[in-house]
Amino acid sequence: GAWLSLVSLFVSQPLASAETLPKASLERLQGVVQVLAKAPSGRRLLEGAKVLWGLDDIKQVSQYLRWDSASRTDAVLIRHFDPKSGLEDRERKITIYLRAEQRLEEVVLDLAHELAHAVAKPIWDPYDPELSAGDYLYSSLEGPGGEVEAVLQECQVGKELRSLAQFSASR
């Protein structure tokens, strides 16, 4: 049989529009982004998100952020397949949820952590029949954008902001 040619295109978009947030909520998220940008490593994360998501300004990263009871990054992968051409496009929608009930310092560190996950290009394909549980766990922990990298980013941002006398965090 003929092999189908598959082309993958990962485009990141926010899951929901920033206009759905109350003004005070959006302003608080924008403030978190501004504080993160004061740390050199935080600014690099924000610049990476700006480029990846095709934004004009790092302040627009806040449109990918929402408040919730726990911090996490949600990535939804949508496949678009054209049966006539055999081509497949993939769209990746990202939302970073930040735990609302915590001090600014903690939210900034959470954002650094979650951005490390969000801006990393996926190194595994959830539709790959060869993907093993071991490969998934290894890459989720030690691969690009995995937990190890996210914790290192969080610590680096905390160290930089502390040296700038911006804040102190207990982590």
Side-chain angles (χ1 to χ4, degrees):
W3 289 93
L4 291 179
S5 172
L6 298 179
V7 175
S8 295
L9 172 66
F10 287 96
V11 178
S12 294
Q13 299 176 356
L15 284 173
S17 169
E19 289 102 38
T20 62
L21 287 176
K23 185 178 179 185
S25 179
L26 183 58
E27 287 173 354
R28 185 173 176 222
L29 289 169
Q30 289 169 340
V32 172
V33 169
Q34 288 174 352
V35 172
L36 181 59
K38 292 179 182 181
S41 61
R43 185 158 199 81
R44 281 191 299 277
L45 284 168
L46 291 165
E47 288 290 340
K50 180 185 110 175
V51 170
L52 179 66
W53 299 335
L55 306 174
D56 297 326
D57 191 298
I58 61 172
K59 293 175 187 172
Q60 293 173 314
V61 167
S62 61
Q63 69 188 359
Y64 288 77
L65 309 178
R66 297 290 177 273
W67 295 112
D68 203 1
S69 59
S71 295
R72 69 184 186 283
T73 298
D74 283 353
V76 176
L77 183 61
I78 301 168
R79 295 169 50 178
H80 303 280
F81 180 72
D82 181 348
K84 289 183 181 179
S85 68
L87 297 176
E88 178 181 290
D89 289 331
R90 294 184 182 190
E91 178 182 8
R92 186 173 180 231
K93 294 192 176 198
I94 299 286
T95 300
I96 297 174
Y97 293 93
L98 298 170
R99 186 164 57 107
E101 301 302 320
Q102 58 183 344
R103 294 181 16 237
L104 174 65
E105 293 88 350
E106 300 296 330
V107 178
V108 170
L109 295 179
D110 279 1
L111 179 55
H113 181 106
E114 298 306 330
L115 273 174
H117 294 312
V119 302
K121 293 188 179 178
I123 60 170
W124 49 270
D125 179 354
Y127 299 107
D128 180 1
E130 302 294 317
L131 179 64
S132 70
D135 289 340
Y136 168 78
L137 286 172
Y138 178 81
S139 61
S140 296
L141 294 173
E142 297 187 36
E147 282 303 312
V148 172
E149 184 176 325
V151 170
L152 287 173
Q153 287 293 326
E154 175 183 335
C155 292
Q156 184 64 35
V157 164
K159 179 182 172 186
E160 291 167 2
L161 289 175
R162 190 176 26 229
S163 72
L164 296 171
Q166 292 296 315
F167 67 82
S168 63
S170 61
R171 294 186 193 184

